Amino acid sequence: MTASSERLALAERMFRRIVVGLLLTVFLPTIAEAQQATKVHRIGFLSITSLSSPGSSVEAFRQGLRELGYLEGRSIVIEYRYAEGNAERLPKLASELIGLKVDVLVAAAGAPGALAAKQVTKTVPIVIASAADPVALGLVSTLAQPGGNVTGLSLLGPDTAGKRLQILKEIVPSLSSVAVLWNPANPGNTLILEEIRAAARALGVKVQSLEAHGPEDFETAFKAARGTGGIMPLGDPGQVLHRAPIIGFAKRYRLPAMYPFGQFVEDGGLMYYGASLDDLYRRTAIYVDKILKGRKPADLPVEQPKKFEFLINLKTAKQIGLTIPPNVLARADRVIR
């Protein structure tokens, strides 16, 4: 081989190496990104409520994920587990989700699911969709620095329970005592009851505690509440699942009621003031997104509600012979007529 032929062959080899190097530089990141984009994340969704009536909040969570670019069946799979109102089933259901190797577990519908999830795992990230007071419940160390594998959203902002009682007294100026329907087995209920008692002392209102472990206790509780000026169910999952009889008893005994969730008002209850659950669940998707992208729950502060809503069912007010003051009616975000 002549010198010129060798130089030509060497030049060709160098040219090929340069071309291959350029191609690898251009296409390898694209291939890696494509592989990353096609990774399917698995999300666990644990709720004490019922599969048959999940409510609009679950769809708000799914919508939040879609807005962030996640598509069910393509980039994410959501594994749902519902306890159908039975808190004792929650640890087993949480264990099932952990066994499916979920990347993050969403604890929906209050404190019971979050507590069960934390009991089952100390490593899988847990996002609370709504819990009364994550610090007092022992779910996180502080709101600013959760410190473990749990973060998410608090259901109650400062003085929410007190504000509910204040509104009830505005529409019933003669209110001197209020009945509180609650489940002592629900730790979140215990915290809210204490807030109501503190607010009641400031307003000069007596609190009548009515325990209800299940729907079989509702009628007895409402009969005992007839001597009060109003009633406040506290939102135990059993109350949410069996809200129809609660709404019915309140109407039968003509008791003005401030309900724990907007669903009650949609179904014929008198009124609701509090956090927008749909907004909380949509924001839950943001936490899931951050964790899937590598953030640790310990570094994500627990947030409180940003959006509150006040709902009044004017038809129900008329049915129980109650006149809503115009200044209160004007503050409602939505009035059902």
Side-chain angles (χ1 to χ4, degrees):
M1 182 179 291
T2 65
S4 62
S5 298
E6 290 179 355
R7 286 196 297 270
L8 180 61
L10 179 61
E12 288 177 351
R13 287 197 298 272
M14 291 180 65
F15 177 75
R16 285 196 296 270
R17 289 173 183 173
I18 291 171
V19 170
V20 171
L22 287 172
L23 289 174
L24 290 175
T25 302
V26 171
F27 290 108
L28 274 182
T30 304
I31 294 170
E33 289 173 5
Q35 289 175 339
Q36 186 174 7
T38 56
K39 178 182 178 181
V40 178
H41 296 285
R42 192 173 296 274
I43 300 169
F45 190 94
L46 178 66
S47 177
I48 195 173
T49 60
S50 172
L51 175 62
S52 60
S53 58
S56 61
S57 298
V58 177
E59 179 54 35
F61 170 65
R62 297 171 67 191
Q63 178 62 34
L65 289 171
R66 288 194 293 269
E67 291 171 357
L68 292 165
Y70 296 96
L71 297 177
E72 285 190 62
R74 295 182 62 182
S75 55
I76 58 167
V77 171
I78 304 178
E79 301 284 355
Y80 298 93
R81 294 293 185 276
Y82 291 90
E84 304 294 332
N86 185 354
E88 293 181 357
R89 293 184 61 201
L90 287 168
K92 180 176 182 296
L93 296 176
S95 295
E96 286 183 13
L97 291 172
I98 299 303
L100 293 173
K101 307 297 183 184
V102 295
D103 298 294
V104 58
L105 196 160
V106 173
L115 291 168
K118 186 175 182 180
Q119 173 187 334
V120 168
T121 179
K122 304 297 182 185
T123 56
V124 175
I126 298 169
V127 177
I128 311 165
S130 59
D133 187 335
V135 177
L137 291 168
L139 291 167
V140 298
S141 298
T142 67
L143 296 182
Q145 296 180 316
N149 66 319
V150 181
T151 187
L153 295 133
S154 171
L155 176 63
L156 297 180
D159 304 321
T160 301
K163 182 67 174 178
R164 288 175 177 165
L165 180 58
Q166 180 184 332
I167 294 173
L168 186 58
K169 188 167 176 58
E170 282 188 76
I171 70 165
V172 186
S174 61
L175 185 74
S176 59
S177 63
V178 62
V180 177
L181 185 69
W182 67 296
N183 184 352
N186 185 332
N189 273 195
T190 304
L191 297 173
I192 299 172
L193 177 61
E194 290 307 311
E195 285 194 33
I196 291 175
R197 282 176 169 155
R201 287 192 292 270
L203 294 169
V205 175
K206 294 180 180 179
V207 174
Q208 181 177 356
S209 170
L210 301 175
E211 297 184 9
H213 294 267
E216 66 279 1
D217 300 324
F218 292 164
E219 185 168 13
T220 300
F222 271 89
K223 285 180 178 178
R226 284 181 294 182
T228 66
I231 190 165
M232 297 177 67
L234 294 193
D236 180 73
Q239 293 181 14
V240 178
L241 287 174
H242 302 285
R243 57 188 176 276
I246 291 177
I247 294 167
F249 286 130
K251 289 180 179 180
R252 180 191 303 180
Y253 296 118
R254 300 170 74 86
L255 280 169
M258 172 63 81
Y259 289 101
F261 301 113
Q263 291 172 282
F264 285 79
V265 181
E266 299 282 353
D267 292 346
L270 179 63
M271 60 183 174
Y272 165 71
Y273 171 80
S276 166
L277 285 183
D278 286 358
D279 184 60
L280 288 178
Y281 277 72
R282 192 173 291 108
R283 288 164 60 196
T284 298
I286 297 174
Y287 277 88
V288 170
D289 175 56
K290 289 180 178 179
I291 290 171
L292 292 181
K293 289 178 177 176
R295 298 288 299 277
K296 295 181 179 179
D299 301 328
L300 295 174
V302 174
E303 295 183 359
Q304 293 182 314
K306 294 179 179 178
K307 183 178 179 181
F308 291 81
E309 55 188 9
F310 181 24
L311 311 179
I312 297 177
N313 192 315
L314 203 57
K315 181 179 179 181
T316 299
K318 292 177 181 178
Q319 289 176 340
I320 66 173
L322 181 68
T323 300
I324 307 293
N327 64 316
V328 176
L329 202 60
R331 301 204 305 268
D333 297 290
R334 183 182 174 197
V335 176
I336 299 174
R337 301 180 185 275

